[in-house]
Amino acid sequence: MSYFQQFLSYLPRITSLLLIMLWSISSTASLRSFEAAYSSQWDLGISLSGKAKRSLIKNQDGSYRLTTSASAMVASLTESSLFNVTDDQILPVHYRYQRKILNKTRKVEVAFEWPNLKVENTAGGSSWVMDIVPGTLDKQSVQMRLQLDLAQTPKADNSLNKTYHYEVADGGHLKTYSFIIDGEDVIETPLGRYKSIRIKRDRGVESDRETWIWFAPELDYSIVKIVQKEADGKRYQLNLVELKWLDS
């Protein structure tokens, strides 16, 4: 298999890594609009690089839209979450995901029906409805919820091995996402050096994949770095390079 073919075979996992990216917010009462940029490095036997952008915009009706766009070589990814904030809770309204590799496109949409506690999933030309529970999130808003919880937890309670659990509508199923406080590190970025909380994604003892996320309290708990390792030893990394507040 050529390096190019190998790259394409790993791209779905690479785009999954991009879904993990989180941005800064200090309380649901005052979400800050922003634009952020990340560089990426992928070790697939050869060194590859790419970029990703993220933005959070407050709409005129008070809702928020969080958007991710990423590209590398012959692939692109766009992801969008529309949500409301009610009683200090994030309530997803609509989630959309589109990935394109060469001439193949995958589209996914998840529409939340809170009065009925259901979501409608659309993927591959098919639609189906599934039950959810109060507090269910989509794959982007769960990342924002985690960041909020880190910011709102008293520092004394952010102890090693503290775990956060969330219910997520993912792939037509209701899944539990778990994250563990794994320690602290100083991360160097083009914006400066920041003491950051290291979070590990807990996928269970049977998973050989590992993911770490670093949040910087000095940047309102913005993410400054992500590292993901696959079972075969391949490694992907994202690094914060720009962060611009739009409401300042």
Side-chain angles (χ1 to χ4, degrees), residues 128-145:
W128 66 98
V129 175
M130 71 178 217
D131 295 328
I132 58 174
V133 298
T136 298
L137 302 162
D138 64 53
K139 292 174 68 175
Q140 277 205 127
S141 60
V142 65
Q143 302 152 6
M144 184 166 286
R145 181 72 260 172

Side-chain angles (χ1 to χ4, degrees), residues 11-27:
L11 210 79
R13 293 183 181 181
I14 293 170
T15 53
S16 294
L17 174 61
L18 294 173
L19 301 182
I20 301 170
M21 293 187 301
L22 315 175
W23 269 260
S24 62
I25 44 182
S26 58
S27 71

Side-chain angles (χ1 to χ4, degrees), residues 10-81:
Y10 276 92
L11 210 79
R13 293 183 181 181
I14 293 170
T15 53
S16 294
L17 174 61
L18 294 173
L19 301 182
I20 301 170
M21 293 187 301
L22 315 175
W23 269 260
S24 62
I25 44 182
S26 58
S27 71
T28 52
S30 58
L31 301 184
R32 299 183 66 184
S33 298
F34 66 85
E35 292 178 348
Y38 285 71
S39 65
S40 60
Q41 297 175 346
W42 308 327
D43 177 13
L44 302 178
I46 58 174
S47 179
L48 300 172
S49 61
K51 59 183 180 180
K53 294 184 178 181
R54 194 81 171 272
S55 64
L56 178 66
I57 303 298
K58 186 174 183 179
N59 301 314
Q60 291 186 349
D61 63 0
S63 64
Y64 291 86
R65 183 172 295 279
L66 181 64
T67 303
T68 300
S69 61
S71 61
M73 296 178 67
V74 295
S76 63
L77 165 73
T78 302
E79 185 186 27
S80 176
S81 293

Side-chain angles (χ1 to χ4, degrees), residues 119-173:
V119 296
E120 181 178 6
N121 300 272
T122 303
S126 300
S127 296
W128 66 98
V129 175
M130 71 178 217
D131 295 328
I132 58 174
V133 298
T136 298
L137 302 162
D138 64 53
K139 292 174 68 175
Q140 277 205 127
S141 60
V142 65
Q143 302 152 6
M144 184 166 286
R145 181 72 260 172
L146 169 62
Q147 192 164 342
L148 279 170
D149 288 343
L150 287 172
Q152 294 175 344
T153 300
K155 187 174 182 180
D157 293 338
N158 274 334
S159 57
L160 193 66
N161 297 324
K162 181 178 175 62
T163 304
Y164 298 87
H165 303 283
Y166 308 99
E167 298 302 311
V168 180
D170 176 5
H173 301 279

